[in-house]
Amino acid sequence: MRRRDLIRLGGLGLTAGWTLLAACQSAEPTATPAPPTSTAAGAGMAPTASPTPAAAATPTAGATPTVMTRSQSAVVTIYSGRSKSLIGPLLDRIGQELGLDVRVRYGDTAELATAILEEGDRSPADLFFGQDAGALGALAKEGRLAPLPSELLQRVPQPYRSSKELWVGISGRARTVIYNTERVKPEEIPASIVDFAGNERWRARLGWAPTNGSFQAFVTALRRMRGEDVARSWLEGIKALDARVFPKNSSIVQATINGEIEAGFVNHYYLMRERAQAGRPLPAENHFYTNGDPGGLVNVAGVGVLVTSRASDAALALVDYLLSEPAQRYFAEQTYEYPLLEGVLAHPDLPPLASLNPPALDLSDLDDLKGTLALLQEVGLL
Amino acid sequence: MTASAGRTTIAHSLLQRWSLAVIRPSEVVALVVASIALVPVLYLGWRALEGGERALASLTHPRTTWLVLRSLGLAVAVAASSALVAFPLAVLTERVAFPGRRWLAILLAVPLAVPSYVMAYAVVAALGPRGTLASLLERSIGLTRLPEVYGFFGAWLTLTLVTYPYTFLALRAALRGLDQAFEEVARTLHAGHWVTFWRVTVPLLGPALLSGMLLTTLYVLSDFGAIAILRYPTLTYSIYNQYRLSFDRSAAAALAVLLVVLSAILLIAERHWQRRAAFYRTVGTRRPPVLHSPGWRSWLGLSLVLLWGSFAIGLPAGMAAFWFLRARSLGEQLPGIGEPLANSLLVGSAAGLVTVALALPVAWTVVRGNGRYVSLVDLPLWIAYGLPGIVLALALVSFSVRFLPWLYQTLPLLIVGYALRFLPEATGILRATLAQQNPRLEEAARTLGLRPWRAWLTVQFPLTLPGIGSAFALVFLTTIKELPVTLLLSPIGFTTLATAVWNATADAFWSHAALPTLLLLGIGVVPMALFSWWQERGAERSNE
């Protein structure tokens, strides 16, 4: 009896030990990242960055050698809320050109940000790449992001970066009204997005995504610019028109293309992507508000370096590259977003960034979504 | 000498009885597994308490009650409809000698590997206002209005399509383990075919049916993908939004605690309903059921089965094929999928093996354990199963980064995560299978001098095999489509077919999602086919 129990115990112990061993072995490559190259965040970058726009054509030429000599193929861990289909090729290229071992965890922007909050000081992430300013703001507010060197920040126009210098926009995304060209004449689109509300022309013909981050950023803009009352009555007005609720922008775009709805509130680039994939002309068009209307808000996808990063030099080199001409051209051509670096042009099918004339609004304000969420809940949309 | 020998034997037997009555090794394992499953529940409690007033506010919001009712309504409706669908499918493929019925059965389980949001896209593409069916009807008979796919109907249909295999697989395993004698006795008592079926066969399938329906109910309660696309807000929808929009972990946790309570009530109701009944024969030897030869009714049934199957598989496969062909006609370069494929096969098999290995002692304890509350040992597992994936994933992130940092974001932890998420799928089926076995068999083997593990291996294991196979297949199929745990806990850079599909559809790169979706369906066949082949080979051998 006793011997049998001993054997049983031994078996259990062996199994447990084996599992532990296996765990440790597979843990090793991820658990021991770059040699600790932690200097004060940003200090390593300042001298390497290119100071003049002329040098921006080859910004990495200056950056590469310093990084290379400092830490041979340092590991940079990115938590990316932007999908692999969108930026995977770019990150691969950056890794090769900078001699960095770039490791990316792709996921939902908000879920990854929440994971970083859960991880706290033990987060393995060096860099967070978020799809909207809101998630970056949430991380900044919880003290998870380190200040960025002003040289990097200044490459991007002032509205598209954190006023507290904790994150920087990489690409711009304009809010537009997408409409089906077979059912809607361009002149039928109201001059202000506010005028959609209460307009019977649009009854049961609109699509929106109240749970979408970009949409909520727009509502925040509306509140800031026109006041709570206007925002509330607008939301109630659109709801009263039986606008269809979609889970995200891309579904609105599809529904507009196939005529399920006639118009919807979206970001500009989804239509561009659908066009590129369709292989036929699509009966849909984007309407850009270029008159400073809240409907023409320009939000950003951006990055922040974590305070806990052990490879902040390498992470900053990566940000430097993302704000260089080749990377910005990639965003213009591959993701159809607006490059934020001066001198890099947007996709030829799009109105240029300078002509958009978006509403004057501090994107850092967008991290305070509480008021907007409360409003959406009050109206019964969440 | 003889006296002392006698005394030791008595001591031995006493010791043996004590150890049998109080703690068996299987019960220890079951307890350990159950306490690991408590981690997410504790995490939720902690987060919710931390939130204080905010958490309370989200609980007492009038909308919350409405969401709970909607969640429950959908879950009950889907459980009922998937049972209605699964029952004839299982009986026809298991009891009637159709040619190729094994292959049919294998294919019918595959929709389980389809992520619910992909099925939702397919349902919208096919049945939506401008979908395939609508344009077909408009062109042929001029019908322009279809019933609204968004809302309850679409969510119900989509979730029935992805969850019916739960009940189907559970019923198949139970039918296979069913003892022919019960039905024969009924027949000798002059009960007709139908009476026998309804009064004898169906009640005997009760445990399997209930466990399948319970899995379905909890799956629906925790689903986010389908209900978001089909616009049917539920409690889980609200939980996701708390994370996504306000980064409010406390409010989300408070709502998730509500889900925990819901699952617990459902579970206790199920246990109460099922109680403890014997589902095995007490004398003679068990014989496998005989196949009926197909009559006209069976053929009619088969055609309905085929229709349903082609609907459930054809929708996602058709949509993915459309994406693929469109991309090919445009000459688009598609990303490679060798690595995601290999990874999916790896985690699917590993999670399947580990989960079944952990589920066996748990199921054993629930069915055979001593003591009144032992049968509730799997309660925490089911509760964890009813939680939305993101809640479980964040709980594991929070726990492992603090207490097991060397395991964080490694393959072993990922497998543990899968096991934790899918254990009830395995315990449910194994419980139903074990309930069909007479414990005297094992005891007889023991009295004949076999050691416990030998007795288990030679007597119990072969009888449990159908259940083990079905349980492995279930866990495999749901693991390869799993997303939230995979995204947050996998080793960095680790891609599976599910993450490939998600990465592509998240930003509307439909063509990139085409091949991984088709492959998900393709490898969904693998575990079932292998198991079926293995079993048939075994049957041939024993016939020789």
Side-chain angles (χ1 to χ4, degrees):
Chain A
M1 187 63 219
R2 201 173 276 169
R3 200 175 54 194
R4 199 185 302 153
D5 278 346
L6 269 179
I7 291 171
R8 209 176 279 156
L9 257 179
L12 257 174
L14 266 179
T15 326
W18 179 82
T19 322
L20 282 184
L21 210 81
C24 288
Q25 262 170 353
S26 56
E28 242 163 81
T30 37
T32 51
T37 54
S38 82
T39 48
M45 261 325 288
T48 68
S50 46
T52 59
T58 54
T60 51
T64 316
T66 11
V67 176
M68 288 292 283
T69 49
R70 184 86 48 88
S71 51
Q72 274 296 327
S73 80
V75 179
V76 186
T77 303
I78 304 177
Y79 276 21
S80 172
R82 314 214 58 197
S83 74
K84 192 174 189 178
S85 298
L86 271 183
I87 60 161
L90 177 66
L91 293 179
D92 288 348
R93 199 168 84 195
I94 296 181
Q96 273 171 15
E97 290 197 17
L98 297 186
L100 294 173
D101 184 356
V102 178
R103 300 186 180 166
V104 196
R105 176 171 303 280
Y106 294 100
D108 174 82
T109 296
E111 284 172 17
L112 287 174
T114 312
I116 288 178
L117 295 180
E118 286 291 353
E119 289 167 348
D121 290 339
R122 299 170 192 260
S123 178
D126 296 306
L127 192 75
F128 176 73
F129 201 155
Q131 230 175 53
D132 52 71
L136 287 159
L139 285 182
K141 196 153 57 184
E142 299 274 337
R144 303 317 317 166
L145 298 182
L148 293 167
S150 57
E151 189 283 323
L152 283 179
L153 290 163
Q154 274 157 14
R155 293 190 209 170
V156 166
Q158 194 257 327
Y160 306 125
R161 52 180 143 105
S162 150
S163 51
K164 298 189 183 90
E165 312 197 325
L166 293 171
W167 53 264
V168 60
I170 299 293
S171 56
R173 15 185 64 197
R175 293 295 295 175
T176 61
V177 175
I178 187 175
Y179 60 96
N180 185 303
T181 49
E182 285 166 1
R183 289 154 188 257
V184 180
K185 293 190 211 82
E187 59 271 20
E188 284 181 291
I189 307 278
S192 167
I193 197 160
V194 178
D195 299 334
F196 269 102
N199 187 338
E200 287 298 321
R201 153 81 182 81
W202 300 103
R203 174 162 294 281
R205 289 168 181 176
L206 286 176
W208 61 348
T211 56
N212 174 271
S214 313
F215 175 80
Q216 286 164 355
F218 150 72
V219 175
T220 310
L222 192 63
R223 286 171 53 223
R224 289 283 150 85
M225 295 169 67
R226 302 283 170 92
E228 295 287 332
D229 292 340
V230 173
R232 181 183 298 109
S233 63
W234 186 80
L235 289 170
E236 282 167 350
I238 301 293
K239 193 185 171 203
L241 284 176
D242 293 332
R244 283 170 170 263
V245 175
F246 288 85
K248 46 190 188 175
N249 284 314
S250 58
S251 323
I252 299 181
V253 170
Q254 283 204 313
T256 310
I257 289 169
N258 62 32
E260 258 180 69
I261 50 172
E262 296 189 1
F265 310 126
V266 295
N267 288 344
H268 77 273
Y269 45 87
Y270 291 100
L271 176 61
M272 311 284 287
R273 271 183 226 151
E274 290 290 346
R275 275 183 187 153
Q277 287 183 82
R280 63 185 168 101
L282 295 176
E285 199 61 65
N286 271 323
H287 176 83
F288 289 82
Y289 281 109
T290 53
N291 49 2
D293 191 79
L297 177 75
V298 176
N299 204 335
V300 296
V303 295
V305 175
L306 272 86
V307 274
T308 47
S309 168
R310 279 180 291 178
S312 49
D313 283 8
L316 286 167
L318 218 146
V319 179
D320 172 54
Y321 195 109
L322 285 171
L323 289 171
S324 72
E325 199 190 316
Q328 290 285 306
R329 263 212 311 271
Y330 176 92
F331 286 110
E333 289 160 10
Q334 303 296 319
T335 74
Y336 310 108
E337 289 168 293
Y338 281 102
L340 295 179
L341 185 74
E342 262 178 88
V344 182
L345 294 178
H347 192 276
D349 290 355
L350 292 171
L353 184 63
S355 77
L356 287 186
N357 185 26
L361 187 87
D362 187 354
L363 286 181
S364 299
D365 286 352
L366 296 183
D367 47 276
D368 180 31
L369 270 171
K370 288 266 152 65
T372 300
L373 291 172
L375 188 63
L376 287 168
Q377 265 170 356
E378 197 187 311
V379 179
L381 285 168
L382 281 190
Chain B
M1 186 65 203
T2 26
S4 84
R7 225 171 297 140
T8 16
T9 332
I10 292 166
H12 258 193
S13 70
L14 269 179
L15 212 95
Q16 206 162 0
R17 266 194 64 187
W18 179 80
S19 69
L20 269 177
V22 183
I23 30 166
R24 298 182 193 173
S26 63
E27 287 173 351
V28 175
V29 176
L31 267 177
V32 170
V33 171
S35 43
I36 295 175
L38 276 177
V39 165
V41 180
L42 292 176
Y43 161 84
L44 282 180
W46 169 49
R47 280 276 174 240
L49 286 179
E50 199 186 51
E53 266 173 50
R54 256 196 353 263
L56 202 66
S58 71
L59 270 183
T60 51
H61 200 278
R63 202 178 142 86
T64 306
T65 321
W66 181 70
L67 288 172
V68 168
L69 291 177
R70 284 172 71 92
S71 282
L72 272 178
L74 183 68
V76 169
V78 172
S81 58
S82 61
L84 275 180
V85 168
F87 207 93
L89 296 190
V91 171
L92 282 170
T93 54
E94 195 57 38
R95 279 302 182 80
V96 186
F98 291 119
R101 68 191 178 93
R102 280 182 205 281
W103 279 105
L104 189 61
I106 290 166
L107 280 177
L108 282 171
V110 166
L112 201 58
V114 180
S116 66
Y117 68 94
V118 172
M119 191 63 95
Y121 279 130
V123 164
V124 170
L127 307 178
R130 299 282 147 179
T132 323
L133 184 67
S135 59
L136 211 73
L137 288 177
E138 197 175 347
R139 247 179 286 151
S140 54
I141 53 172
L143 190 76
T144 49
R145 271 211 89 67
L146 273 178
E148 177 73 52
V149 71
Y150 296 105
F152 180 83
F153 170 69
W156 166 79
L157 176 68
T158 306
L159 288 168
T160 305
L161 284 170
V162 290
T163 55
Y164 81 87
Y166 282 130
T167 320
F168 173 66
L169 285 176
L171 283 175
R172 255 174 62 85
L175 276 167
R176 189 161 286 189
L178 199 66
D179 196 331
Q180 177 79 10
F182 292 113
E183 291 171 354
E184 285 170 1
V185 169
R187 300 300 306 283
T188 57
L189 295 172
H190 295 292
H193 261 298
W194 283 103
V195 176
T196 310
F197 184 72
W198 286 112
R199 302 284 303 277
V200 178
T201 317
V202 172
L204 282 172
L205 295 175
L209 194 64
L210 272 182
S211 81
M213 285 173 74
L214 192 62
L215 282 172
T216 309
T217 311
L218 295 180
Y219 182 96
V220 174
L221 283 183
S222 67
D223 178 75
F224 173 74
I227 53 115
I229 289 167
L230 293 158
R231 303 185 218 141
Y232 182 84
T234 61
L235 192 58
T236 297
Y237 184 73
S238 190
I239 293 172
Y240 266 79
N241 281 339
Q242 293 291 350
Y243 283 122
R244 291 189 174 200
L245 309 179
S246 44
F247 304 93
D248 192 342
R249 289 171 282 165
S250 297
L255 292 175
V257 167
L258 213 58
L259 264 186
V260 168
V261 175
L262 269 185
S263 321
I265 292 174
L266 281 170
L267 279 163
I268 291 168
E270 188 242 19
R271 286 297 149 85
H272 182 73
W273 197 356
Q274 193 166 316
R275 289 199 207 95
R276 278 199 175 188
F279 294 95
Y280 47 80
R281 71 150 75 194
T282 45
V283 284
T285 6
R286 189 187 149 279
R287 273 175 303 118
V290 197
L291 291 176
H292 299 282
S293 54
W296 68 270
R297 274 196 229 102
S298 316
W299 283 108
L300 182 72
L302 183 75
S303 46
L304 290 177
V305 165
L306 285 176
L307 197 69
W308 174 263
S310 50
F311 194 57
I313 300 167
L315 274 183
M319 183 179 61
F322 169 73
W323 288 337
F324 180 68
L325 293 176
R326 192 173 69 169
R328 263 208 20 189
S329 72
L330 295 177
E332 204 176 324
Q333 190 78 34
L334 295 181
I337 38 160
E339 199 189 323
L341 175 65
N343 286 342
S344 279
L345 285 171
L346 171 75
V347 292
S349 330
L353 287 175
V354 170
T355 309
V356 171
L358 292 177
L360 269 171
V362 176
W364 179 261
T365 306
V366 172
V367 177
R368 299 279 155 79
N370 298 308
R372 199 169 162 181
Y373 298 104
V374 170
S375 65
L376 292 178
V377 75
D378 63 339
L379 208 70
L381 302 176
W382 288 88
I383 287 174
Y385 185 76
L387 290 175
I390 184 66
V391 174
L392 187 71
L394 285 171
L396 283 173
V397 165
S398 187
F399 178 82
S400 59
V401 89
R402 279 184 182 75
F403 302 111
L404 308 162
W406 40 272
L407 260 183
Y408 187 52
Q409 293 179 347
T410 62
L411 214 49
L413 185 74
L414 181 64
I415 303 293
V416 169
Y418 288 139
L420 213 52
R421 192 145 188 231
F422 299 127
L423 259 165
E425 298 181 346
T427 54
I429 285 195
L430 290 174
R431 211 182 76 200
T433 319
L434 286 176
Q436 292 176 331
Q437 294 169 15
N438 188 343
R440 308 286 169 277
L441 270 182
E442 192 213 359
E443 284 162 23
R446 293 289 307 281
T447 52
L448 291 174
L450 283 184
R451 294 190 164 179
W453 64 272
R454 281 295 301 258
W456 188 83
L457 207 65
T458 50
V459 178
Q460 213 89 56
F461 183 70
L463 291 175
T464 321
L465 211 52
I468 290 179
S470 287
F472 177 83
L474 258 185
V475 177
F476 181 95
L477 290 174
T478 40
T479 299
I480 57 174
K481 76 168 169 184
E482 206 286 337
L483 197 59
V485 172
T486 316
L487 285 177
L488 290 185
L489 289 173
S490 60
I492 199 155
F494 190 84
T495 53
T496 64
L497 291 174
T499 66
V501 173
W502 178 80
N503 252 310
T505 52
D507 278 302
F509 284 85
W510 309 113
S511 52
H512 291 198
L515 275 181
T517 304
L518 288 173
L519 277 176
L520 268 182
L521 289 166
I523 68 169
V525 175
V526 171
M528 298 276 296
L530 273 180
F531 181 70
S532 180
W533 169 77
W534 183 30
Q535 248 186 353
E536 259 166 69
R537 217 184 51 161
E540 272 166 31
R541 267 198 203 155
S542 58
N543 283 344
E544 273 164 16

